[in-house]
Amino acid sequence: MDCNNEYLFSLRNNSDKGFCITEGLYSNEGVLTDSVFIEVNNPFSDILNLSSDKIIGQQLTALFTHEEASAILLLLRGLTESPFLEKKGIYLSTLNKWLEVTLLSLNEKVFTLLVEDVSEAKQKEMEQRLSLKVLTILNRCVSQENAVKQILTVIKQETGVDAAAIRLKSGKDYPYFVYDGFSDEFVSHENSLLLDSKNSSEGDNDPPLECFCGAVIAGRTFPSNPFSTKKGSVWTNNLSSILDLIPSEDPRLSPRRHCYDEGYISIALIPLYDEDTIIGLIQLNDRRANRFSLKIIEFFEQIGDSIAISLKQMQFLKAIKDREKSYKHLSKEFEAIMDHIPGLIFYKDLNNNFIQVNKYVAEAYNKTKEELRGVNLSQLYDYDVAESYHKDDLIVIESGEALLNIEEPWMTDQGVKWVNTSKIPFTDESGYIAGIIGISFDITDRKLAEEELKKKQEDLTRLKQKNAVLATIVTANHEINQPLTIIRGNLELMAKGIKDKTLLLRYETIIESLDRIDKVIKKLRDLDEIKLRTYLDEIDMIDLDE
């Protein structure tokens, strides 16, 4: 126990993880029903957002919800079968925190818990999963409606919020395009944001919009709200705190209280941008407090950018296809439409020659639209590069089917950029395929974000590996020290009665080996940094000589 006490004392004072000791309370039938905190360290207090004097002496059931306390007690009861339980996950809904708990039974009544807040790692894992799912949906779906519905479903599943919705511009209003978790009555009251939807003027280009959703879409600032971002998102973990703003600081027109009346506490509103214009928003509502953070909101702003870009591309592709049915030849009207679409739009014939381009393509090559007409791509790029672009054209031409969402590098005067390109076939008056229509959007920022996401995932993997090594060291210290102490003590007792020199030499050899093991364990315990060296081929071992 002295060894254990010394080890626990070191954990309490030196560990950056939460540490606590609890004493179990049992029913008359011998069932563990509660536990009292008898000692905690500062990191543990920080995790619970409580000072130590508010924790020590309190019972589990007094500090945690019924579900949370039941989960912890279930783990403590498990110590009756095994005195050591490693890295068990617990979610504290009231604090919106994920904890990883390692439990140790000191005796049948006293338990030690080593607690680590892994919320950030859990959040990164969620972001990675959600990003991948959203990108997959956007790359596979051609229909805007199907894409938005599927995206909302995965957002709600991954975040676990009570309700989620996406509003998109429709005429002058921004009704719910899709929603999940909101009651029909709620949607009926909240669907339109127009201040007076019945009497709105036909000539009013920017009619006033109501409540928080309207304020976010209109781009009105929240001077007194610390939970607004540079991109115009608004979020709160306590809705009641911002409901009663003074008129001079309230950006809302005709504030509503439906969210509050439905019991929602945490709310996030993230605008969707088409360049500088807001075309809708993502709405997340939850009846629990502390559901959001600035990092989460900024992540959803990135997701919102990807959604808006893809929705715009779907709309433009649909517009091009619809227009192609009415016009077999390019017209001035269609040329004007092309020039107002903020993407790279081009027509090419069967031989990789430009037939027509919009102004954004012309600007990219520092030429006029007329100068590019009839130009072959081999005149703008090296032969191999030009042929690689033409290869995708030929797939569309030969199959007669569209090739969508091709992510490819684009060589520019400013260096290599990334674009998302879709190509569809167009026909002549006789119905034969005459070439392809292409539309590309710059996704360089998104690709850079994906690379950063990949790097963070690799960093997270390395962190998990390091934690696994550290856990092994802690286990070795605990599981080996006590048996070694017993062996040494028994050997010393046995040696007192030994007079045979050969046996004494063997005794000294064993003691030297025990000393060596002690030194190895001490070096492991005192490691500040883990360094590895090659042991055999691809097998590494911890370098204890550093």
Short mmCIF file of all heavy atoms in Angstrom, two decimals, residues 407-451:
data_model
loop_
_atom_site.label_atom_id
_atom_site.label_comp_id
_atom_site.label_asym_id
_atom_site.label_seq_id
_atom_site.Cartn_x
_atom_site.Cartn_y
_atom_site.Cartn_z
N GLU A 407 -12.62 16.39 -60.02
CA GLU A 407 -11.69 17.26 -59.29
C GLU A 407 -10.31 17.11 -59.93
O GLU A 407 -9.74 16.01 -59.94
CB GLU A 407 -11.67 16.89 -57.81
CG GLU A 407 -12.98 17.18 -57.12
CD GLU A 407 -12.89 17.05 -55.61
OE1 GLU A 407 -11.80 16.73 -55.10
OE2 GLU A 407 -13.92 17.28 -54.94
N GLU A 408 -9.80 18.21 -60.46
CA GLU A 408 -8.56 18.14 -61.23
C GLU A 408 -7.73 19.39 -61.01
O GLU A 408 -8.26 20.47 -60.72
CB GLU A 408 -8.88 17.96 -62.71
CG GLU A 408 -9.78 19.04 -63.27
CD GLU A 408 -10.24 18.75 -64.69
OE1 GLU A 408 -9.84 17.73 -65.26
OE2 GLU A 408 -11.00 19.57 -65.23
N PRO A 409 -6.39 19.27 -61.18
CA PRO A 409 -5.54 20.46 -61.08
C PRO A 409 -5.72 21.34 -62.31
O PRO A 409 -5.98 20.85 -63.41
CB PRO A 409 -4.13 19.86 -61.01
CG PRO A 409 -4.24 18.52 -61.64
CD PRO A 409 -5.62 18.04 -61.38
N TRP A 410 -5.55 22.64 -62.12
CA TRP A 410 -5.70 23.60 -63.20
C TRP A 410 -4.48 24.52 -63.20
O TRP A 410 -4.22 25.20 -62.20
CB TRP A 410 -6.99 24.40 -63.01
CG TRP A 410 -7.23 25.46 -64.03
CD1 TRP A 410 -6.96 25.41 -65.36
CD2 TRP A 410 -7.82 26.76 -63.79
NE1 TRP A 410 -7.32 26.56 -65.97
CE2 TRP A 410 -7.86 27.43 -65.04
CE3 TRP A 410 -8.32 27.39 -62.67
CZ2 TRP A 410 -8.37 28.72 -65.17
CZ3 TRP A 410 -8.83 28.68 -62.80
CH2 TRP A 410 -8.85 29.32 -64.03
N MET A 411 -3.73 24.48 -64.28
CA MET A 411 -2.51 25.26 -64.37
C MET A 411 -2.84 26.72 -64.72
O MET A 411 -3.48 26.97 -65.76
CB MET A 411 -1.56 24.68 -65.44
CG MET A 411 -1.37 23.17 -65.33
SD MET A 411 -0.74 22.67 -63.72
CE MET A 411 -0.84 20.89 -63.87
N THR A 412 -2.44 27.66 -63.86
CA THR A 412 -2.69 29.08 -64.12
C THR A 412 -1.39 29.85 -63.97
O THR A 412 -0.37 29.33 -63.51
CB THR A 412 -3.73 29.65 -63.13
OG1 THR A 412 -3.13 29.74 -61.83
CG2 THR A 412 -4.95 28.76 -63.05
N ASP A 413 -1.45 31.13 -64.33
CA ASP A 413 -0.28 31.99 -64.16
C ASP A 413 0.08 32.17 -62.70
O ASP A 413 1.22 32.49 -62.36
CB ASP A 413 -0.54 33.37 -64.81
CG ASP A 413 -0.62 33.27 -66.32
OD1 ASP A 413 -0.11 32.26 -66.88
OD2 ASP A 413 -1.20 34.18 -66.94
N GLN A 414 -0.90 31.97 -61.82
CA GLN A 414 -0.67 32.10 -60.38
C GLN A 414 -0.23 30.79 -59.74
O GLN A 414 -0.07 30.71 -58.52
CB GLN A 414 -1.94 32.61 -59.66
CG GLN A 414 -2.36 34.03 -60.03
CD GLN A 414 -3.04 34.11 -61.36
OE1 GLN A 414 -3.81 33.23 -61.72
NE2 GLN A 414 -2.75 35.16 -62.13
N GLY A 415 -0.04 29.77 -60.55
CA GLY A 415 0.33 28.47 -60.02
C GLY A 415 -0.79 27.45 -60.19
O GLY A 415 -1.81 27.72 -60.84
N VAL A 416 -0.63 26.29 -59.57
CA VAL A 416 -1.62 25.22 -59.70
C VAL A 416 -2.81 25.50 -58.78
O VAL A 416 -2.64 25.73 -57.58
CB VAL A 416 -1.01 23.85 -59.36
CG1 VAL A 416 -2.06 22.76 -59.47
CG2 VAL A 416 0.16 23.54 -60.28
N LYS A 417 -4.00 25.48 -59.35
CA LYS A 417 -5.23 25.57 -58.56
C LYS A 417 -6.03 24.28 -58.78
O LYS A 417 -5.70 23.47 -59.65
CB LYS A 417 -6.06 26.79 -58.98
CG LYS A 417 -5.41 28.13 -58.66
CD LYS A 417 -6.36 29.27 -58.94
CE LYS A 417 -5.74 30.61 -58.53
NZ LYS A 417 -6.68 31.73 -58.75
N TRP A 418 -7.07 24.12 -57.98
CA TRP A 418 -7.94 22.95 -58.12
C TRP A 418 -9.34 23.40 -58.51
O TRP A 418 -9.84 24.40 -57.98
CB TRP A 418 -7.99 22.14 -56.83
CG TRP A 418 -6.79 21.29 -56.63
CD1 TRP A 418 -5.61 21.65 -56.05
CD2 TRP A 418 -6.63 19.92 -57.02
NE1 TRP A 418 -4.72 20.61 -56.06
CE2 TRP A 418 -5.31 19.52 -56.65
CE3 TRP A 418 -7.44 18.99 -57.65
CZ2 TRP A 418 -4.82 18.25 -56.87
CZ3 TRP A 418 -6.96 17.71 -57.88
CH2 TRP A 418 -5.67 17.36 -57.50
N VAL A 419 -9.94 22.67 -59.46
CA VAL A 419 -11.31 22.99 -59.88
C VAL A 419 -12.17 21.73 -59.83
O VAL A 419 -11.67 20.62 -59.95
CB VAL A 419 -11.34 23.58 -61.31
CG1 VAL A 419 -10.72 24.97 -61.33
CG2 VAL A 419 -10.64 22.66 -62.30
N ASN A 420 -13.46 21.95 -59.64
CA ASN A 420 -14.45 20.89 -59.73
C ASN A 420 -15.18 21.08 -61.06
O ASN A 420 -15.87 22.08 -61.25
CB ASN A 420 -15.42 20.94 -58.55
CG ASN A 420 -16.40 19.78 -58.57
OD1 ASN A 420 -17.18 19.62 -59.49
ND2 ASN A 420 -16.39 19.00 -57.51
N THR A 421 -15.01 20.14 -61.98
CA THR A 421 -15.51 20.30 -63.35
C THR A 421 -16.58 19.26 -63.65
O THR A 421 -16.45 18.09 -63.28
CB THR A 421 -14.36 20.15 -64.36
OG1 THR A 421 -13.36 21.14 -64.08
CG2 THR A 421 -14.86 20.35 -65.78
N SER A 422 -17.63 19.71 -64.33
CA SER A 422 -18.65 18.80 -64.86
C SER A 422 -18.77 19.05 -66.36
O SER A 422 -18.70 20.19 -66.83
CB SER A 422 -19.99 19.02 -64.17
OG SER A 422 -19.91 18.67 -62.81
N LYS A 423 -18.94 17.97 -67.12
CA LYS A 423 -19.05 18.07 -68.57
C LYS A 423 -20.27 17.30 -69.05
O LYS A 423 -20.50 16.17 -68.59
CB LYS A 423 -17.78 17.51 -69.23
CG LYS A 423 -16.52 18.30 -68.88
CD LYS A 423 -15.27 17.72 -69.54
CE LYS A 423 -14.03 18.55 -69.19
NZ LYS A 423 -12.80 18.01 -69.81
N ILE A 424 -21.04 17.92 -69.94
CA ILE A 424 -22.22 17.26 -70.50
C ILE A 424 -22.15 17.37 -72.03
O ILE A 424 -21.59 18.33 -72.57
CB ILE A 424 -23.53 17.88 -69.97
CG1 ILE A 424 -23.61 19.36 -70.34
CG2 ILE A 424 -23.64 17.70 -68.48
CD1 ILE A 424 -24.92 20.01 -69.96
N PRO A 425 -22.70 16.40 -72.74
CA PRO A 425 -22.67 16.47 -74.21
C PRO A 425 -23.73 17.42 -74.75
O PRO A 425 -24.78 17.61 -74.13
CB PRO A 425 -22.97 15.02 -74.62
CG PRO A 425 -23.80 14.48 -73.50
CD PRO A 425 -23.30 15.16 -72.25
N PHE A 426 -23.45 18.07 -75.87
CA PHE A 426 -24.50 18.83 -76.55
C PHE A 426 -24.57 18.36 -78.00
O PHE A 426 -23.59 17.84 -78.56
CB PHE A 426 -24.28 20.34 -76.46
CG PHE A 426 -23.18 20.88 -77.32
CD1 PHE A 426 -23.44 21.30 -78.63
CD2 PHE A 426 -21.89 20.99 -76.85
CE1 PHE A 426 -22.43 21.81 -79.43
CE2 PHE A 426 -20.87 21.48 -77.64
CZ PHE A 426 -21.13 21.89 -78.94
N THR A 427 -25.75 18.48 -78.59
CA THR A 427 -26.00 17.92 -79.92
C THR A 427 -26.24 19.02 -80.95
O THR A 427 -26.61 20.15 -80.59
CB THR A 427 -27.21 16.98 -79.89
OG1 THR A 427 -28.36 17.71 -79.42
CG2 THR A 427 -26.95 15.81 -78.94
N ASP A 428 -26.05 18.67 -82.21
CA ASP A 428 -26.38 19.61 -83.29
C ASP A 428 -27.84 19.44 -83.69
O ASP A 428 -28.59 18.69 -83.04
CB ASP A 428 -25.44 19.40 -84.47
CG ASP A 428 -25.51 17.98 -85.03
OD1 ASP A 428 -26.52 17.27 -84.77
OD2 ASP A 428 -24.56 17.58 -85.72
N GLU A 429 -28.25 20.10 -84.76
CA GLU A 429 -29.66 20.07 -85.15
C GLU A 429 -30.11 18.67 -85.57
O GLU A 429 -31.29 18.34 -85.47
CB GLU A 429 -29.88 21.05 -86.30
CG GLU A 429 -29.72 22.51 -85.89
CD GLU A 429 -29.95 23.47 -87.05
OE1 GLU A 429 -29.99 23.00 -88.21
OE2 GLU A 429 -30.08 24.66 -86.78
N SER A 430 -29.16 17.85 -85.96
CA SER A 430 -29.51 16.49 -86.40
C SER A 430 -29.55 15.51 -85.24
O SER A 430 -29.87 14.34 -85.42
CB SER A 430 -28.50 16.00 -87.45
OG SER A 430 -28.49 16.87 -88.56
N GLY A 431 -29.19 15.98 -84.05
CA GLY A 431 -29.22 15.11 -82.90
C GLY A 431 -27.93 14.40 -82.63
O GLY A 431 -27.85 13.57 -81.71
N TYR A 432 -26.88 14.68 -83.41
CA TYR A 432 -25.58 14.07 -83.18
C TYR A 432 -24.78 14.89 -82.18
O TYR A 432 -24.87 16.13 -82.14
CB TYR A 432 -24.80 13.96 -84.50
CG TYR A 432 -25.42 13.01 -85.49
CD1 TYR A 432 -26.16 13.47 -86.58
CD2 TYR A 432 -25.27 11.63 -85.33
CE1 TYR A 432 -26.72 12.59 -87.49
CE2 TYR A 432 -25.84 10.74 -86.23
CZ TYR A 432 -26.57 11.23 -87.30
OH TYR A 432 -27.13 10.36 -88.19
N ILE A 433 -23.99 14.19 -81.38
CA ILE A 433 -23.16 14.89 -80.39
C ILE A 433 -22.11 15.72 -81.13
O ILE A 433 -21.35 15.20 -81.96
CB ILE A 433 -22.50 13.90 -79.43
CG1 ILE A 433 -23.56 13.23 -78.55
CG2 ILE A 433 -21.46 14.61 -78.54
CD1 ILE A 433 -23.02 12.16 -77.63
N ALA A 434 -22.09 17.02 -80.81
CA ALA A 434 -21.19 17.95 -81.50
C ALA A 434 -20.04 18.42 -80.61
O ALA A 434 -19.14 19.11 -81.08
CB ALA A 434 -21.97 19.16 -82.00
N GLY A 435 -20.11 18.09 -79.34
CA GLY A 435 -19.05 18.53 -78.43
C GLY A 435 -19.52 18.44 -76.99
O GLY A 435 -20.46 17.70 -76.67
N ILE A 436 -18.85 19.17 -76.13
CA ILE A 436 -19.22 19.13 -74.70
C ILE A 436 -19.37 20.56 -74.16
O ILE A 436 -18.77 21.51 -74.66
CB ILE A 436 -18.15 18.38 -73.87
CG1 ILE A 436 -16.77 19.06 -73.94
CG2 ILE A 436 -18.05 16.94 -74.30
CD1 ILE A 436 -16.44 19.93 -72.78
N ILE A 437 -20.21 20.65 -73.14
CA ILE A 437 -20.33 21.89 -72.35
C ILE A 437 -19.67 21.61 -71.01
O ILE A 437 -19.97 20.60 -70.36
CB ILE A 437 -21.79 22.29 -72.11
CG1 ILE A 437 -22.54 22.42 -73.43
CG2 ILE A 437 -21.87 23.59 -71.30
CD1 ILE A 437 -24.04 22.59 -73.24
N GLY A 438 -18.77 22.47 -70.61
CA GLY A 438 -18.08 22.28 -69.33
C GLY A 438 -18.31 23.45 -68.40
O GLY A 438 -18.47 24.60 -68.83
N ILE A 439 -18.37 23.16 -67.10
CA ILE A 439 -18.47 24.21 -66.09
C ILE A 439 -17.56 23.82 -64.93
O ILE A 439 -17.59 22.69 -64.45
CB ILE A 439 -19.93 24.43 -65.60
CG1 ILE A 439 -19.98 25.51 -64.52
CG2 ILE A 439 -20.55 23.13 -65.11
CD1 ILE A 439 -21.40 25.97 -64.21
N SER A 440 -16.73 24.76 -64.54
CA SER A 440 -15.74 24.49 -63.48
C SER A 440 -15.85 25.55 -62.40
O SER A 440 -16.07 26.73 -62.69
CB SER A 440 -14.31 24.51 -64.06
OG SER A 440 -14.13 23.49 -65.02
N PHE A 441 -15.66 25.11 -61.16
CA PHE A 441 -15.63 26.03 -60.02
C PHE A 441 -14.32 25.83 -59.26
O PHE A 441 -13.84 24.71 -59.10
CB PHE A 441 -16.81 25.77 -59.07
CG PHE A 441 -18.14 26.18 -59.66
CD1 PHE A 441 -18.91 25.25 -60.34
CD2 PHE A 441 -18.60 27.47 -59.55
CE1 PHE A 441 -20.13 25.61 -60.88
CE2 PHE A 441 -19.81 27.85 -60.08
CZ PHE A 441 -20.58 26.91 -60.77
N ASP A 442 -13.76 26.95 -58.82
CA ASP A 442 -12.50 26.91 -58.09
C ASP A 442 -12.75 26.33 -56.70
O ASP A 442 -13.53 26.86 -55.91
CB ASP A 442 -11.94 28.35 -57.98
CG ASP A 442 -10.52 28.36 -57.43
OD1 ASP A 442 -10.10 27.36 -56.79
OD2 ASP A 442 -9.83 29.36 -57.63
N ILE A 443 -12.08 25.19 -56.41
CA ILE A 443 -12.24 24.55 -55.09
C ILE A 443 -10.90 24.49 -54.37
O ILE A 443 -10.69 23.63 -53.50
CB ILE A 443 -12.83 23.13 -55.23
CG1 ILE A 443 -11.93 22.25 -56.10
CG2 ILE A 443 -14.24 23.18 -55.77
CD1 ILE A 443 -12.28 20.77 -56.07
N THR A 444 -9.99 25.40 -54.74
CA THR A 444 -8.66 25.38 -54.14
C THR A 444 -8.72 25.48 -52.63
O THR A 444 -8.04 24.73 -51.91
CB THR A 444 -7.80 26.53 -54.71
OG1 THR A 444 -7.79 26.44 -56.13
CG2 THR A 444 -6.37 26.44 -54.18
N ASP A 445 -9.55 26.39 -52.11
CA ASP A 445 -9.65 26.56 -50.65
C ASP A 445 -10.15 25.29 -49.99
O ASP A 445 -9.69 24.91 -48.91
CB ASP A 445 -10.59 27.73 -50.31
CG ASP A 445 -9.99 29.08 -50.68
OD1 ASP A 445 -8.75 29.13 -50.86
OD2 ASP A 445 -10.74 30.06 -50.80
N ARG A 446 -11.11 24.62 -50.65
CA ARG A 446 -11.63 23.38 -50.08
C ARG A 446 -10.58 22.29 -50.05
O ARG A 446 -10.47 21.53 -49.09
CB ARG A 446 -12.85 22.91 -50.88
CG ARG A 446 -13.68 21.85 -50.15
CD ARG A 446 -14.70 21.22 -51.05
NE ARG A 446 -14.10 20.13 -51.80
CZ ARG A 446 -14.69 19.54 -52.86
NH1 ARG A 446 -15.85 19.97 -53.29
NH2 ARG A 446 -14.10 18.55 -53.49
N LYS A 447 -9.77 22.19 -51.13
CA LYS A 447 -8.71 21.18 -51.17
C LYS A 447 -7.67 21.43 -50.08
O LYS A 447 -7.19 20.49 -49.44
CB LYS A 447 -8.03 21.19 -52.54
CG LYS A 447 -8.93 20.74 -53.68
CD LYS A 447 -9.34 19.29 -53.59
CE LYS A 447 -8.21 18.34 -53.89
NZ LYS A 447 -8.66 16.93 -53.95
N LEU A 448 -7.34 22.71 -49.87
CA LEU A 448 -6.39 23.03 -48.82
C LEU A 448 -6.96 22.63 -47.46
O LEU A 448 -6.25 22.13 -46.59
CB LEU A 448 -6.06 24.53 -48.84
CG LEU A 448 -5.26 25.01 -50.06
CD1 LEU A 448 -5.12 26.53 -50.04
CD2 LEU A 448 -3.88 24.36 -50.10
N ALA A 449 -8.28 22.88 -47.29
CA ALA A 449 -8.93 22.50 -46.02
C ALA A 449 -8.92 20.99 -45.83
O ALA A 449 -8.73 20.49 -44.71
CB ALA A 449 -10.37 23.04 -45.98
N GLU A 450 -9.11 20.23 -46.93
CA GLU A 450 -9.08 18.77 -46.85
C GLU A 450 -7.68 18.28 -46.46
O GLU A 450 -7.54 17.32 -45.68
CB GLU A 450 -9.51 18.16 -48.17
CG GLU A 450 -11.00 18.33 -48.47
CD GLU A 450 -11.36 17.84 -49.86
OE1 GLU A 450 -10.44 17.45 -50.62
OE2 GLU A 450 -12.56 17.88 -50.19
N GLU A 451 -6.64 18.92 -47.03
CA GLU A 451 -5.28 18.56 -46.67
C GLU A 451 -5.02 18.82 -45.19
O GLU A 451 -4.36 18.02 -44.51
CB GLU A 451 -4.29 19.35 -47.53
CG GLU A 451 -4.21 18.91 -48.98
CD GLU A 451 -3.68 17.49 -49.12
OE1 GLU A 451 -2.78 17.11 -48.36
OE2 GLU A 451 -4.20 16.75 -49.98
#
